[in-house]
Amino acid sequence: MYYRFKAGAAFFSVFLFTFNIHAQRVKRYDLYVTDTMVNYSGKHKMAIAVNSQTPMPTLKFTEGDTAEIVVHNR
């Protein structure tokens, strides 16, 4: 009986480990694109801002993730 428990525990551990390796995450980003005025060198210039930021925010992913990027033009 101890042998069956040990074999079953080993199989279950391998199953969980394999499942965790292949589990995918969905990374969703909503990007809001607008025109804006910036002043970096004393002169006002038009620029494109994403989520009210220039430069654009960094999108981070891990290999195997599913990327869902929604772009909203304003």
Side-chain angles (χ1 to χ4, degrees):
M1 181 148 170
Y2 178 71
Y3 176 73
R4 285 187 184 173
F5 175 75
K6 192 174 180 181
F11 175 75
F12 186 69
S13 297
V14 170
F15 174 75
L16 284 179
F17 180 72
T18 304
F19 180 76
N20 286 335
I21 288 176
H22 299 294
Q24 291 184 353
R25 293 185 307 168
V26 176
K27 299 286 281 192
R28 180 184 169 98
Y29 289 99
D30 286 297
L31 303 178
Y32 296 91
V33 181
T34 58
D35 288 332
T36 187
M37 295 289 288
V38 295
N39 184 356
Y40 290 123
S41 62
K43 295 182 182 178
H44 291 286
K45 297 285 183 176
M46 289 297 295
I48 296 173
V50 178
N51 294 352
S52 301
Q53 296 180 12
T54 54
M56 183 178 155
T58 303
L59 307 180
K60 297 182 181 180
F61 306 99
T62 303
E63 186 175 344
D65 288 349
T66 299
E68 188 175 309
I69 302 171
V70 181
V71 179
H72 306 274
N73 289 323
R74 290 188 177 183

